Amino acid sequence: MSALVLGAEDAEDLQIISARLQDAVARVGDLVWLPKQRRFAALFNRFKWESGQGLRVRSGLHFDGVISVKAHNIKRGDADAVVSLLAIQYTPKGGEDPGGIIELTFSGGGAIRLDVECIDAGLKDVSGEWAARGRPLHEV
């Protein structure tokens, strides 16, 4: 299969990226805010829901125009701690300002909140596929 490359410039686009990253796992050390570049970047091992074959792939996610980043219930001091992404959501600030809050929600109650000028995101597969150890399960 070809590598996935997606961009997001509005809330609907961001929902598509969120769906592709559902159940992706990352090391805390692979979640990085680069304040001088106003960029938040992350590397995830993404479950390839679209393949239907129980595969994972390494994917890079980035957000540009990031004003500030706040983390809640994330072990920032432990670079090898693993987090599992549940969803990415956008909340506009209101008015005509394109800015807002992008929240990455992780299992176990963790979250990362990005205060952004606007939605400017990208997701790209950066490795080959490999067999996943298991299929993520969710209660109905």
Side-chain angles (χ1 to χ4, degrees):
M1 273 191 140
S2 61
L4 177 71
V5 178
L6 295 174
E9 294 182 347
D10 60 30
E12 187 175 322
D13 293 342
L14 196 57
Q15 287 177 342
I16 293 167
I17 288 177
S18 177
R20 291 292 191 218
L21 282 173
Q22 182 180 3
D23 299 310
V25 294
R27 292 177 46 251
V28 170
D30 289 335
L31 308 172
V32 180
W33 182 39
L34 306 166
K36 289 182 182 177
Q37 289 88 3
R38 299 179 74 154
R39 174 176 268 213
F40 178 84
L43 285 172
F44 286 95
N45 292 339
R46 178 175 79 80
F47 189 83
K48 291 189 72 171
W49 290 105
E50 70 274 18
S51 76
Q53 299 175 10
L55 300 172
R56 282 201 183 264
V57 64
R58 190 93 159 136
S59 298
L61 171 69
H62 74 270
F63 295 95
D64 289 323
V66 178
I67 299 164
S68 67
V69 177
K70 294 180 183 175
H72 172 73
N73 208 19
I74 302 284
K75 295 180 181 180
R76 292 181 290 173
D78 184 358
D80 290 325
V82 176
V83 293
S84 178
L85 185 67
L86 297 176
I88 302 172
Q89 297 175 324
Y90 174 73
T91 304
K93 287 182 182 174
E96 295 184 23
D97 183 358
I101 301 295
I102 294 174
E103 186 167 36
L104 289 80
T105 304
F106 298 92
S107 64
I112 295 177
R113 292 174 54 107
L114 312 176
D115 184 353
V116 297
E117 295 173 339
C118 63
I119 297 174
D120 184 1
L123 175 67
K124 180 179 181 180
D125 290 346
V126 295
S127 77
E129 306 166 335
W130 68 88
R133 291 185 183 157
R135 183 178 184 87
L137 297 174
H138 296 276
E139 292 183 21
V140 179

